[in-house]
Structures are given as C-alpha cells and as structure tokens.
Amino acid sequence: MRRVITFPCEGDTLFGTLDEAPGTTGLLIVSGGNEIRAGAHRGMAALAARVAAAGHPVFRFDRRGVGDSTGVNGGYASAAPDLAAAIATFRTHAPQVTRLVGFGNCDAATALLLHAPGTFDRLLLANPWVVEAGPLPPPAAIRAHYLARLTDPKAWARLLSGQIRFGKLFSGLRRISQKTPEELSQLEAAVFAALAAHPDARVLLASGDATAIAFADAARRAGHAGPVTRIDTASHSFADAAAKAALTDAVLAALG
C-alpha cells in the first residue's frame, strides 16, 4: 500500500510518500535538484514500487519549498533538517525497520553524505554532485564529450557536411586541451572526506553522464578507491529500460 504522510520541519509542512512493506530494512529516497519526490518521469515512484514489492518499505519526501511541501527552497546545502525530519517520520510509520539505507541521485547523494553522517547503515550514492557552481559543464565532462565525438565517424561526416560548426568545435577542443587542476575544490574535499568516513557507502555512476564523469575525475584526483558500480547509460536519471533494471538491481543489492 502507498500512502501520503505529512510531517513538520522547522515550522513548515513536508509531504512524504510511504510504500509499505513488512521488511526490517527500509529505503529512504532523497530527490535530487528541484525534483519532486516522484523523481524524473516518475522514476523514483516506480523504483519505490519495485523495492516495496520485494519486501522493503520505502519513504520519499519533498524537501522544503519543493513539490507539495511548504517553505523556502534552500537547495541541497540546507537540507539537513529536512533529512532528519524525514528519517524520524519514516521510523515512526515503519517501526519494524531496524536497518536504514539511504539512496540519492546527484546533489541528493551529496546531501546524504554531508548532512546525515552516522545515520544510515548504508548509502547508495548515484552520480554524486561535486561541481562548484559555474556557467559551464565540468572540464572532465567537456573532455569526454569532445573526445567521443572525435572518435565517431558520424560526427566527422556531420563536420564535413557543415552540420557541425567549426567555431564551436574548436572552442571545445581548446577547453579540453586545458589541464584540469589537480587540487580538490572545497566541495570535492568535503565529499571524499565524508566517503572515507562512511566505508559502507556505495557509488553508482551513469557512464555517459556529465555529473558522473566529473565525480570520477575528482575521485581520481582524490585517490578515492572505494567501490563504484557503473551503468552503461548517458541518462542522469537512469531513464532507459536497461538502466532502470540495473538501478533496481543495485538498490536491492544495497538492501540485501
């Protein structure tokens, strides 16, 4: 059974959805960006249904200022009270849960790492966000994009036929020729310090996603050698059928 639950958070009212199941290991799904708790194309709602069908209760919620919830949207950086309130509500409405797993994609993964240390028995972190704010994609993602195009015969055909503008191509090539700084940004350092303190965390990367590529590059520079599962998709939200199945398998494995 799926039911909607409201709960307080610092004077505001948050909306959550509980997919009930009898299991003692529960999954808390945190939405990334400004997505509502259903996720992109209702992907998180569908994932919750599959996980609950496998016997694990699942709780999702809208943080303040997102979706049905009231308040001001302060982004993932201010989500600590929202997470704490959601965890407490989940435990109240699924009292049989003795083991808690957190799952988040993009900046939701980063929020789980930075705002809930020691709260979860395991974390599954998809495409963790490590990019400082800026107008352009991360350099590692730009390099991967243009290198893929340079090895694609179809891209060369489009270039020779005039479908690809030379100016835009050469601008991109200049950017990939610039060496990425080896030092970690403040956000990158915080994320990898948190990962080191949570050895049971699992990282899940969409192989062709810009955010995932940026994380992999930062992991290399940080010397991070923790477990990483890669799913062969360019979809940030694991939207294609094969990626959905692989994501479900990874979540169920984390719950096992």
Side-chain angles (χ1 to χ4, degrees):
M1 179 181 293
R2 174 174 288 177
R3 56 193 176 101
V4 174
I5 297 169
T6 61
F7 56 101
C9 177
E10 297 195 337
D12 289 304
T13 299
L14 305 191
F15 279 69
T17 301
L18 175 63
D19 285 63
E20 296 179 310
T24 58
T25 298
L27 178 69
L28 179 73
I29 295 178
V30 182
S31 295
N34 295 319
E35 287 179 356
I36 60 174
R37 62 188 184 273
H41 313 291
R42 295 192 59 79
M44 294 300 99
L47 175 64
R50 292 192 292 269
V51 172
H56 304 284
V58 184
F59 192 69
R60 299 170 283 120
F61 68 100
D62 293 335
R63 72 168 187 264
R64 285 170 292 174
V66 174
D68 295 317
S69 297
T70 66
V72 176
N73 180 3
Y76 80 94
S78 64
D82 310 65
L83 271 173
I87 292 167
T89 302
F90 189 13
R91 290 194 179 279
T92 296
H93 290 272
Q96 80 278 14
V97 169
T98 58
R99 183 170 176 268
L100 187 60
V101 176
F103 168 68
N105 187 20
C106 194
D107 62 23
T110 303
L112 283 167
L113 266 177
L114 300 183
H115 298 322
T119 303
F120 293 90
D121 296 284
R122 175 168 288 176
L123 293 175
L124 182 60
L125 310 169
N127 307 320
W129 180 258
V130 294
V131 182
E132 301 285 5
L136 295 173
I142 294 174
R143 285 198 301 274
H145 170 75
Y146 279 100
L147 289 174
R149 296 186 75 174
L150 287 172
T151 58
D152 180 4
K154 293 181 180 178
W156 282 102
R158 291 195 297 273
L159 176 65
L160 294 174
S161 67
Q163 296 179 46
I164 296 177
R165 290 180 295 172
F166 277 93
K168 184 176 180 181
L169 174 62
F170 291 137
S171 176
L173 291 175
R174 281 197 300 271
R175 282 191 60 79
I176 68 173
S177 68
Q178 296 171 1
K179 186 177 180 180
T180 302
E182 289 299 307
E183 66 274 10
L184 297 177
S185 69
Q186 185 175 355
L187 177 58
E188 289 170 339
V191 165
F192 289 105
L195 272 173
H198 207 306
D200 204 31
R202 301 289 183 267
V203 173
L204 184 66
L205 299 179
S207 59
D209 172 61
T211 304
I213 292 169
F215 175 87
D217 179 70
R220 175 192 62 79
R221 289 183 284 114
H224 176 70
V228 174
T229 299
R230 287 178 168 80
I231 293 178
D232 185 18
T233 182
S235 172
H236 181 68
S237 59
F238 306 93
D240 57 275
K244 285 180 182 177
L247 174 63
T248 301
D249 289 344
V251 170
L252 291 176
L255 292 164

